Amino acid sequence: QVQLVESGGGLVQAGGSLRLSCAASGRTFTSVTMGWFRQAPGKEREFVAAISWTGSSTYYSDSMKGRFTISRDNAKNTVYLQMNTLKPEDTAVYYCAAYGDYYNIDYYYDPKKYNVWGQGTQVTVSS
C-alpha cells in the first residue's frame, strides 16, 4: 500500500510559480500511475495531471496544459507538480493520488479510479 504526503503549497501572487511535491512510501510506488487533482470550495474535485509509472507518458487537463508540468523521481519516491503563470482561479486544495489499476490507465482523469490519496496542500493565488 502507498501512503502519500503533499507539500509545497502556499500563497503566491498571480503570475507566480509553485512546485508541489508528493512523497510516497510503500514498495509499489514505482509501479503506479500518479495523478494530481484539485478542489476549490464548493466545487467538485478536478483532474489536473497524471504521469505513468515510468514517467514516459503525461496527461494534462486542457486548462493547465502549458502552465503545469508533472514529473516523478522514482529513486526518491516523489511526484512533482510545477505550476507556472498561476491565476487566481488556480486557488484550491491540491491532492496527489495513486491510480488503482496497473494495466489500464485510460481513466487517468477519473478520481474514482484512484485508490490512495494524500491529505492535500492549499494553494492560494492572489490577484
Side-chain angles (χ1 to χ4, degrees), residues 41-93:
K43 295 188 176 181
E44 292 188 353
R45 195 161 294 191
E46 175 185 23
F47 170 72
V48 174
I51 186 167
S52 63
W53 71 272
T54 62
S56 61
S57 297
T58 56
Y59 312 91
Y60 296 93
S61 170
D62 286 344
S63 62
M64 294 98 181
K65 196 176 296 184
R67 297 191 299 124
F68 292 7
T69 302
I70 189 171
S71 62
R72 68 190 296 163
D73 184 339
N74 286 343
K76 296 182 177 180
N77 280 5
T78 303
V79 178
Y80 303 98
L81 185 68
Q82 177 67 44
M83 305 186 295
N84 298 328
T85 319
L86 283 162
K87 306 174 182 180
E89 51 264 42
D90 294 318
T91 295
V93 177

